[in-house]
Amino acid sequence: MGGVTDSGPALLPASDRPDVAARLRDALLSASFTADGLLDLLGAPAYAALARSETVPALRATRGDTPLETLVRLFLLQQPVPHARVAAVLPVEDALEAGWLRRTGGDEVAATVDVRPYGGPAGEDWFIVSDLGCAVGGAGGIGQREESVVLGVGGASTTLAGITVRTPVAAALDLGTGSGIQALHAVQHATRVTATDLNPRALHITALTLALSGAPAADLREGSLFEPVRDDETFDLIVSNPPFVISPGARLTYRDGGMGGDDLCRSLVQQAGERLNEGGFAQFLANWQHVAGEDWQDRLRSWVPRGCDAWIVQREVQDVTQYAELWLRDSGDHRGDPAEYQARYDAWLDEFEARKVKAVGFGWITLRKTGAAEPTVTVEEWPHPVEQPLGEAIRAHFDRLDYLREHDDAALLEGYFKLAAEVVQEQVGLPGAEDPEHVVLRQHRGMRRATKVDTIGAGFAGVCDGTLSAGRILDAIAQLVGEDPVLLRDRTPAQIRLLVEQGFLEPAG
C-alpha cells in the first residue's frame, strides 16, 4: 500500500494492520525515538529548529549511524536510508508491506508519512502521524497547496490540548480531528471517543496516530461539523480545532472555513449547546471578525447557545493586512508568481472590505451546559502569557461561577476563603510614603492575572486562610482602620466577587 502518486499526497500505510503498528511502536521506543530521546540527540537548538520546519541543524546532528539517528533521518527528515540500516532498527519488510515505508530505487527505503514523537501529559510516549512535510501545523509557512493534506501538531493543536478540561467522561467528540491529537488525548479519559473530519484522509491518519501510540481506537466518521453525529447523540466533552481561517473561498480544506466570514466558527459554537450533556464542556479555537460599527464582544456573546455558560478569551488581534499576509505565507503563495500573489492578496482585502472587517481576533471559546436560570457569559481580552496546561484552571473557573451564583452578598460574607497558591502582592508608591498609590495582586499560575485592589482588599486577601468568615475578617479590618463595619460590609462584597471570579480567592470547604 506504500508509494506515491504522480499528483496529490502519498498513499498512506494500512490502517487495518494493528499488529504492524504495535511492532513498529516497540522498535521506535527501543531506539529511544521519543521526545526526550530527540532532545538528547539533537540538542535544544536543533530540536527547536525542527518545530520551525528547519531541518539543516537536525541533518548535521544525525550524520552517524546509530538506530536513533537512522529513525530521525527516515521519519522526521524524510531522507532515503539504506535498507540494511533500517532493517537493523525496524521490522522493515512488515513496514514495507503495510505501507509505512516505500522503496525508492536502488537499495534505499523512505517513509510514506511523517512520524513525530509527542510527549503526553503524564509522560506517555505518543507518536503523531501526518503527511510528509506537514508535521508542523498552523501559520509556520508549511507552503502546502494540496487541499487534502493532513498537518501534524502545531501551536494551535497544543493550545487546545492544553486548555481542555480533563475530567473522566463517558463520551467525547473531536470535530475536525486532523492528525488525531485531540482524539489521542481524549481516549485517555473518555470511555467512548467519536472523531469526525470532512477529509477521509484525516480519519485514516487519526487511526494511524492512535494505533502507533498504543491508544484505544476511536469511532471515526466522515463529514462536516456535526453532520456525522446522530440526532440522539450527546457528549460530555466536545473539542474542535476547526478550519477557522477567514478567507475568500475554501481553497485549503485543512484551514479554510469555506463559509462566509466567521460563519463556520459561529455555527460550530451555536450548534454545540444541544449536543452537550448537563455539566458538559465544549472547547474550541476560533477566529472572529472585528466589524466596523460593531462591538466584537457583543458579536461573540450572540454566538453562545441557550443554556450554556461561556468563557471567551481573545488572545490576539491582527489587522486585515497582517492576517492576509500570515495565511498567504502559510500556503507558500509568497514564493510563487508575484502577480498571482498580488491577485490573491487583493481578493482577501476585497472580501474584508465587503464585510466591513477591520481586524480578526483569535482565541478560545469554552461552553459549559448549565441548568442555571441565568447563564454567565464572560468575554475578555487577555494577550498576556499564561501557564499551560490550563484545563484545571478552566474547570475551576466554572466551579467558581456556580459558587457565586449560589451565594448572594449576605451568604458571601458568611463564607470562608483561601488565598490561591502563588499569589503575590506588589505595592507602588513614592519612597517613604505612608500608603502606597496602589496595590496589585498577581498570580504566578494559570492565567497569571494581575488586578488592582485597595488597601482593604489587599488586607482582606492576605488574611484569608479558611479559618475566619469573610464577615469576621471585615469586622476586624474595620476596627483596625477605624471604619464603620456596617458600611465596610456593604461595599466590599463586589470586590470579593471579583477576586473569587478571577481566581485570587478560592472558597474553602
Side-chain angles (χ1 to χ4, degrees), residues 262 288-296 299 355-359:
D262 52 17
W288 43 78
Q289 299 173 146
H290 285 228
V291 179
E294 178 180 288
D295 187 306
W296 70 269
R299 181 183 189 84
R355 295 180 175 277
K356 299 181 180 180
V357 177
K358 302 302 182 184

Side-chain angles (χ1 to χ4, degrees), residues 159 163 288 290 296-297 300 311-317 361-364 378-388 390 393-394 440-452 498 502 504:
T159 293
I163 68 172
W288 43 78
H290 285 228
W296 70 269
Q297 294 186 336
L300 289 173
W311 185 15
I312 302 173
V313 181
Q314 180 167 273
R315 296 287 289 157
E316 184 179 359
V317 182
F362 167 80
W364 322 323
T378 302
V379 184
E380 63 176 318
E381 186 163 16
W382 191 253
H384 311 293
V386 299
E387 182 191 48
Q388 284 275 36
L390 273 171
I394 288 175
V440 173
L441 298 182
R442 187 178 301 278
Q443 300 169 348
H444 285 274
R445 304 295 300 273
M447 292 291 288
R448 295 179 174 167
R449 294 187 185 278
T451 188
K452 275 187 184 180
L498 179 64
Q502 294 190 344
F504 290 94

Side-chain angles (χ1 to χ4, degrees), residues 148-484:
S148 65
V149 298
V150 178
L151 302 187
V153 177
S157 304
T158 54
T159 293
L160 179 58
I163 68 172
T164 300
V165 176
R166 297 294 175 195
T167 53
V169 295
L173 173 64
D174 175 16
L175 285 178
T177 187
S179 60
I181 178 177
Q182 310 306 330
L184 179 57
H185 278 277
V187 295
Q188 312 302 316
H189 64 102
T191 304
R192 175 174 56 87
V193 174
T194 302
T196 72
D197 205 289
L198 181 63
N199 181 4
R201 187 176 184 83
L203 298 176
H204 191 139
I205 283 182
T206 292
L208 298 175
T209 289
L210 294 173
L212 196 59
S213 298
D219 179 5
L220 305 177
R221 304 182 193 176
E222 182 181 344
S224 177
L225 302 182
F226 288 99
E227 287 176 2
V229 179
R230 297 191 306 272
D231 291 342
D232 61 345
E233 283 185 287
T234 55
F235 302 89
D236 307 297
L237 174 66
I238 300 172
V239 293
S240 184
N241 176 20
F244 53 66
V245 176
I246 300 170
S247 61
R251 187 163 58 118
L252 301 173
T253 303
Y254 68 83
R255 69 165 208 194
D256 297 331
M259 297 184 185
D262 52 17
D263 283 354
L264 182 138
C265 291
R266 176 185 55 80
S267 298
L268 185 61
V269 173
Q270 289 180 335
Q271 293 174 27
E274 62 186 8
R275 298 294 186 177
L276 281 175
N277 293 323
E278 187 75 18
F281 287 90
Q283 299 186 264
F284 314 99
L285 300 185
N287 274 176
W288 43 78
Q289 299 173 146
H290 285 228
V291 179
E294 178 180 288
D295 187 306
W296 70 269
Q297 294 186 336
D298 289 343
R299 181 183 189 84
L300 289 173
R301 287 189 185 96
S302 73
W303 291 9
V304 178
R306 293 180 59 186
C308 288
D309 290 324
W311 185 15
I312 302 173
V313 181
Q314 180 167 273
R315 296 287 289 157
E316 184 179 359
V317 182
Q318 292 182 312
D319 67 49
V320 292
T321 59
Q322 292 173 311
Y323 189 81
E325 291 162 14
L326 172 73
W327 294 108
L328 286 167
R329 286 195 301 271
D330 172 76
S331 54
D333 289 294
H334 62 304
R335 295 192 292 266
D337 176 56
E340 184 180 348
Y341 172 80
Q342 185 173 348
R344 290 194 186 281
Y345 199 152
D346 260 336
W348 284 69
L349 297 186
D350 284 345
E351 177 83 3
F352 286 133
E353 185 177 348
R355 295 180 175 277
K356 299 181 180 180
V357 177
K358 302 302 182 184
V360 177
F362 167 80
W364 322 323
I365 298 176
T366 299
L367 308 176
R368 185 191 60 168
K369 192 70 171 285
T370 178
E374 295 184 14
T376 301
V377 177
T378 302
V379 184
E380 63 176 318
E381 186 163 16
W382 191 253
H384 311 293
V386 299
E387 182 191 48
Q388 284 275 36
L390 273 171
E392 179 58 24
I394 288 175
R395 184 201 60 76
H397 167 86
F398 287 94
D399 285 348
R400 294 193 300 271
L401 288 186
D402 286 339
Y403 178 89
L404 292 173
R405 256 197 300 253
E406 294 164 1
H407 291 73
D408 60 16
D409 286 355
L412 205 65
L413 292 174
E414 294 176 1
Y416 293 72
F417 301 93
K418 288 183 179 180
L419 188 67
E422 297 191 36
V423 172
V424 298
Q425 176 178 306
E426 301 173 358
Q427 296 185 180
V428 178
L430 292 174
E434 183 174 344
D435 293 314
E437 292 178 15
H438 62 259
V439 180
V440 173
L441 298 182
R442 187 178 301 278
Q443 300 169 348
H444 285 274
R445 304 295 300 273
M447 292 291 288
R448 295 179 174 167
R449 294 187 185 278
T451 188
K452 275 187 184 180
V453 292
D454 59 21
T455 53
I456 299 296
F460 176 85
V463 175
C464 285
D465 62 2
T467 61
L468 294 174
S469 70
R472 288 189 62 187
I473 293 174
L474 290 177
D475 290 345
I477 292 175
Q479 184 176 4
L480 185 65
V481 301
E483 282 206 34
D484 184 332

Side-chain angles (χ1 to χ4, degrees), residues 6-142:
D6 291 334
S7 62
L11 297 177
L12 294 172
S15 59
D16 58 352
R17 292 294 305 274
D19 56 325
V20 177
R23 289 197 292 276
L24 193 57
R25 172 178 171 79
D26 288 343
L28 297 178
L29 294 177
S30 294
S32 296
F33 188 67
T34 63
D36 289 341
L38 288 184
L39 184 58
D40 289 342
L41 171 68
L42 302 177
Y47 189 72
L50 268 182
R52 302 190 298 269
S53 297
E54 295 291 349
T55 59
V56 171
L59 284 166
R60 293 173 60 84
T62 55
R63 289 176 286 193
D65 58 0
T66 66
L68 182 53
E69 287 170 301
T70 296
L71 294 176
V72 170
R73 284 194 160 249
L74 187 66
F75 286 118
L76 267 63
L77 304 177
Q78 282 95 58
Q79 300 292 306
V81 179
H83 183 284
R85 281 186 60 184
V86 178
V89 186
L90 300 177
V92 65
E93 295 305 325
D94 287 342
L96 284 165
E97 180 188 355
W100 290 93
L101 303 176
R102 61 182 178 85
R103 301 185 189 277
T104 63
D107 192 34
E108 292 183 323
V109 297
T112 59
V113 288
D114 185 289
V115 175
R116 193 144 304 219
Y118 176 79
E124 301 95 339
D125 289 315
W126 293 339
F127 299 98
I128 307 299
V129 180
S130 64
D131 272 312
L132 296 174
C134 300
V136 183
I142 293 299

